[in-house]
Amino acid sequence: MTVQIDTQRTIDLLTQLVQIDSVNPSLVSDGSGEGEIASFVHSVLCDAGVEATLEQVLPGRPNVIGRMPGTGEGSTLLLNAHLDTVSVAGMEDPFSARISDGKLYGRGAWDTKAGLAAGLSVLLALADEKVSLPGGLVLLGAIDEEHGSEGTQAFLNDAEVDGCIILEPTSLDLWVAHGGFAWGEIETKGVAAHGSLPDVGVDAITKMGHILHQAEGLRQRLRLTRSFEPPLGGETMLPSLHASTIEGGREWSSYPDRCLLRLERRMIPGETQQDVEREMDELLSGLARNDPQLRASWRFSMVRPPWQAEKGPLFTALETACRAQLGHAPGRSAGLMWTDAALTQQAGIPTVIIGPKGDGKHAVVEYVELDSVVTCARILLDTALRFCPQSR
Ligand SMILES: [Zn+2]
């Protein structure tokens, strides 16, 4: 039996995926969402004779799932690529899927439709040859990874898989650790008053200025005092904190009665939601001790845990497949990005992350190197052929 990735079909699939607008509507209010791209993937799978379903997660926003059941007691592998993209603001021709010099351009080309095309190609290659593995192979096209990860969370409610490969733009490195994040909102309350009444008005924006100043101090302390060395290699990780948006005030001549700051705290492995809670409480209570007029509160709007890879059968299978297909050991990398790997691993599924090579994720010029998409597909196929026969 020879199962082979069809190079031209992989490129054609990627072209079609990039040509479909799938901007996440939770990020951009008029974003098209994942409905059309999910239907496209669904029809590609059905045409190839692969069992496929669309599962509504949010209105008009379904996950698409392809399943190739195993023939025996082998391990089931999940290939997970998100369907959504970030906004196309500032891009010249985001859905052209123009190919030039071996690179395919467009929003989502690298993040992560190339990974999706590679995963899809693996299922099609097996279907072409009517090969069934001892364990199952599942492809999840997940909605909403760029915002609230509703797609992967919904899938995990009843997932029965033994390992997961998250397909993200890693440039064919293995990502071995990534950050978590906490999105917080701080609100200061002032007293609205005419600008001519300084004894009455309390300026909520200036109060927030004091908080911002403290937050900058906290950021510097965090980066000097905390770090994480991923045991499987890759870069040293430091935590971070930054302001995201700020709003407040009504007009020139009035004391502002409210100011709202949104901020993001990126966490390194080992840090938890409780650590961030403590920092926020201490920051505000420290200021309040010296300023009886300060009325400030904070809350989380979303928290996602950090992630680190663990050695095990899937990690070994993927690394061995990389060596076989690349001719050398893959690089190992770590950083403060976030992926759905944190959710799958939290659900008890050993998870690894890999994807093709390119540049410009979330930027105005995004591309993927086509060779690397095909190589990625070969690595995934090779990994499945090594992992799925192993007993659970
Ligand atoms: Zn992504």
Side-chain angles (χ1 to χ4, degrees), residues 10-27:
T10 306
I11 295 169
D12 292 345
L13 278 172
L14 175 58
T15 301
Q16 289 167 290
L17 291 169
V18 172
Q19 284 169 345
I20 300 172
D21 174 353
S22 64
V23 171
N24 186 323
S26 301
L27 291 176

Side-chain angles (χ1 to χ4, degrees), residues 158-363:
D158 55 355
E160 279 186 35
V161 298
D162 305 297
C164 171
I165 301 179
I166 297 281
L167 296 162
E168 286 281 13
T170 76
S171 293
L172 298 177
D173 284 348
L174 301 188
W175 279 357
V176 293
H178 70 54
F181 64 89
W183 287 349
E185 285 184 347
I186 302 180
E187 187 179 43
T188 51
K189 286 249 165 69
V191 175
H194 192 279
S196 64
L197 298 172
D199 295 336
V200 178
V202 176
D203 172 354
I205 296 176
T206 300
K207 298 294 180 201
M208 190 62 84
H210 299 159
I211 292 173
L212 278 166
H213 183 69
Q214 291 295 314
E216 171 58 12
L218 171 62
R219 184 191 74 83
Q220 291 177 6
R221 280 198 304 284
L222 287 170
R223 293 182 69 82
L224 285 173
T225 57
R226 290 194 197 165
S227 65
F228 176 76
E229 295 292 341
L232 295 177
E235 301 84 342
T236 302
M237 295 169 69
L238 303 180
S240 75
L241 174 67
H242 69 91
S244 305
T245 66
I246 189 162
E247 58 194 58
R250 297 175 192 278
E251 65 266 308
W252 292 102
S253 58
S254 299
Y255 279 80
D257 59 350
R258 175 178 182 265
C259 182
L260 182 73
L261 171 71
R262 295 194 178 88
L263 38 78
E264 180 182 69
R265 168 78 159 81
R266 291 267 164 171
M267 299 179 282
I268 55 177
E271 291 188 314
T272 64
Q273 175 171 339
Q274 287 71 35
D275 292 324
V276 182
E277 275 173 22
R278 201 175 321 112
E279 290 161 14
M280 289 295 126
D281 286 340
E282 284 172 4
L283 190 152
L284 294 187
S285 61
L287 276 170
R289 271 197 291 279
N290 298 315
D291 181 0
Q293 275 191 332
L294 181 74
R295 285 163 61 213
S297 58
W298 73 273
R299 64 177 195 93
F300 285 127
S301 81
M302 191 175 334
V303 184
R304 294 283 184 243
W307 167 82
Q308 55 177 312
E310 287 162 19
K311 275 207 157 157
L314 179 59
F315 191 91
T316 305
L318 177 60
E319 185 154 63
T320 311
C322 284
R323 282 178 199 274
Q325 300 300 327
L326 298 170
H328 56 82
R332 292 183 180 189
S333 186
L336 284 183
M337 58 287 191
W338 192 83
T339 76
D340 282 353
L343 298 178
T344 50
Q345 189 122 311
Q346 204 174 35
I349 303 165
T351 300
V352 293
I353 307 175
I354 194 169
K357 199 173 187 171
D359 205 357
K361 58 182 172 182
H362 300 206

Side-chain angles (χ1 to χ4, degrees), residues 82 111-112 145-146 168-169 362:
H82 60 85
D111 183 12
T112 200
E145 192 275 345
E146 298 287 6
E168 286 281 13
H362 300 206

Side-chain angles (χ1 to χ4, degrees), residues 133-146:
L133 300 171
L137 185 63
V138 180
L139 176 75
L140 168 64
I143 69 157
D144 195 44
E145 192 275 345
E146 298 287 6

Side-chain angles (χ1 to χ4, degrees), residues 75 98 257 359 367 385:
S75 297
R98 175 175 65 89
D257 59 350
D359 205 357
Y367 68 82
L385 294 173

